[in-house]
Amino acid sequence: MPELPDVEVFKRYLDSTSLHHRITDVQIQSSQVLGDVSEQDLRADLKGHEFECTKRHGKYLFTGLDSGRWLVLHFGMTGNPKYFKDMDQEPQYDRLLFSFANGYHLAYQSRRKLGEVALLDDLQAFVEGKELGPDVLDESFDLQAFKKVLQGHRGMVKSALMNQQLMAGIGNVYSDEILFQAGIHPRTKVNQLDDEQLGEIFKGMKEVLNMAIDRQADPQQFPDTYIIPHRHQGGTCPCCGAEVRRVKVSGRSAYYCPNRQGEP
DNA sequence: CCTATAGCCTGACGGC
DNA sequence: TGCCGTCAGGCTATAG
């Protein structure tokens, strides 16, 4: 689930639910999701403290504690936060559970446990350590910056969009949507794109991601000109009705419309 | 520098 | 119903 729009929706969800409550308890149902941090350290760092603010970089969500430290939340392919009151609403795949003084709980849910939770002192150092590129929705990431990042890149355009070291936030699903909107085949080589195509991709990128955030990252609310609700075997292009095709790019499934995006 | 592959984990889904 | 293969919105290490 979690690409940039999903994580941004998670961020706003935490902002409206989980800030400024004293953390009274931390339960660790599955320590596999803990990265560098031990169970003891996680408890010690959170208990008695509260979340003050949140930040996001690409697909990473950070919650700032009143101690000055940060809890990093990454959700892998299947995960989300869930705020709830009664334990009978506890989500099925919660791996961590934070309890607040107001009686509510925040669960870190992750079915496949591919995500990771850790504690940090320095956000900047974390981003640099992971060698993450700029967040694609950051205002400073404009067309010029986009072109610069792709300058000299020789790979396929879908791979480049998904490469978190080049730019952070886009994953498998949204890269398909961006390229569908731009009318460009996912296997197109970056160095074969002309200026106009780069402009189309950039524009599609900002539009698609902002639209998705506006619609709560819920595909059911997406415009009917979007391919996302149709990107599965047997799906049809919302514009021309052609059956969507699937090819492998960087080991992931790319879906595209052969009419709109052509064949390489 | 770039691609493909496997692995990490736990399912959901379709076919027989 | 059960078993099996395939696929799944991420990331990393490895080999070529």
Side-chain angles (χ1 to χ4, degrees), chain A residues 32-34 74-77 108 110 112-117:
Chain A
Q32 290 160 281
V33 301
L34 298 183
H74 186 261
F75 296 91
M77 289 174 84
Y108 167 86
S110 176
R112 289 171 69 185
K113 302 182 186 173
L114 294 178
E116 185 176 315
V117 175

Side-chain angles (χ1 to χ4, degrees), chain A residues 133-173:
Chain A
D135 183 274
V136 292
L137 280 191
D138 195 291
E139 281 181 24
S140 68
F141 194 63
D142 56 13
L143 179 59
Q144 195 185 359
F146 178 70
K147 286 181 179 171
K148 191 172 176 188
V149 151
L150 294 179
Q151 185 72 38
H153 196 81
R154 283 193 283 275
M156 295 180 277
V157 63
K158 181 178 167 72
S159 305
L161 292 176
M162 290 195 298
N163 185 334
Q164 305 300 299
Q165 264 97 51
L166 293 179
M167 58 189 102
I170 300 170
N172 199 28
V173 166

Side-chain angles (χ1 to χ4, degrees), chain A residues 27-87:
Chain A
Q27 287 181 53
I28 296 147
Q29 341 276 45
S30 178
S31 56
Q32 290 160 281
V33 301
L34 298 183
D36 283 342
V37 62
S38 70
E39 297 190 25
Q40 290 72 22
D41 287 349
L42 184 68
R43 275 207 196 81
D45 271 33
L46 294 186
K47 238 174 154 174
H49 290 277
E50 47 190 73
F51 298 128
E52 274 188 332
C53 62
T54 61
K55 294 199 179 216
R56 184 188 59 70
H57 189 109
K59 304 172 188 172
Y60 290 88
L61 181 57
F62 309 94
T63 57
L65 289 154
D66 55 1
S67 61
R69 302 202 84 193
W70 295 88
L71 181 72
V72 193
L73 300 172
H74 186 261
F75 296 91
M77 289 174 84
T78 55
N80 58 279
K82 175 76 193 262
Y83 182 77
F84 61 98
K85 184 164 192 185
D86 300 319
M87 286 307 287

